[in-house]
Amino acid sequence: MPAFVTFGRILFAVLFLYSGANQLFGLAATADFIAAKVTIPAVLLPYTTQLAGITGMPTPQMLAIAVSSFEVIAGLMIAFNLATRFFAILLILFVAATTFYLHDFWNQSPPENAKSVVDALKNLSIIGALFVIAGSSRRSRTNEQAYGDV
């Protein structure tokens, strides 16, 4: 059974590895997509303006690099079973935020929102898988009987 779990965890991590790498290679398109969908709160504007001045990059581009890099790193950590629970929990928060901000099907009319609804449901099942990964233990199981002295 551990081989199946390891193989499944690696296959699951491929989703985040591919997505993050694809976003990094298409950085301009990712930054444009973020700029169109995400509004920076007014409270954070002085900080993002300062960061943009320091780095010489606009905020959407910095967010695109950060998000894409996070996806690749989290995917690698889950694939190699290093700090898996921590990164699974971070990915739960990330996927939930992504679903809320990028797949806002509730703001679209019914015929046009079909793709967003499917994407949101897909993300919901990814969150479920991340809960399974976060809930599984890295420690080996003991050889106790399942039902005790029955």
Side-chain angles (χ1 to χ4, degrees):
M1 196 67 163
F4 287 136
V5 173
T6 301
F7 188 62
R9 192 181 62 248
I10 291 169
L11 288 178
F12 180 76
V14 168
L15 171 73
F16 293 102
L17 292 169
Y18 175 78
S19 176
N22 194 33
Q23 291 170 9
L24 279 172
F25 288 127
L27 195 59
T30 304
D32 290 342
F33 184 72
I34 288 174
K37 288 284 192 172
V38 178
T39 304
I40 305 298
V43 171
L44 297 177
L45 278 177
Y47 303 109
T48 58
T49 305
Q50 186 178 13
L51 277 173
I54 292 170
T55 61
M57 291 185 282
T59 303
Q61 186 176 3
M62 286 188 295
L63 284 173
I65 292 170
V67 165
S68 303
S69 300
F70 169 70
E71 283 188 65
V72 170
I73 291 168
L76 286 171
M77 296 302 272
I78 287 176
F80 290 123
N81 202 19
L82 300 170
T84 305
R85 282 187 182 163
F86 176 72
F87 281 98
I89 291 169
L90 286 180
L91 280 171
I92 288 169
L93 298 173
F94 171 75
V95 173
T98 301
T99 303
F100 179 76
Y101 284 109
L102 302 183
H103 303 297
D104 55 343
F105 58 88
W106 52 88
N107 290 330
Q108 301 168 1
S109 59
E112 291 87 26
N113 72 349
K115 183 179 181 333
S116 290
V117 170
V118 170
D119 287 339
L121 290 173
K122 189 171 33 172
N123 283 359
L124 187 64
S125 53
I126 290 170
I127 289 172
L130 285 165
F131 271 113
V132 170
I133 290 171
S136 63
S137 175
R138 187 172 185 203
R139 287 178 265 134
S140 61
R141 297 191 173 148
T142 61
N143 290 332
E144 296 177 18
Q145 293 181 1
Y147 297 104
D149 287 338
V150 177

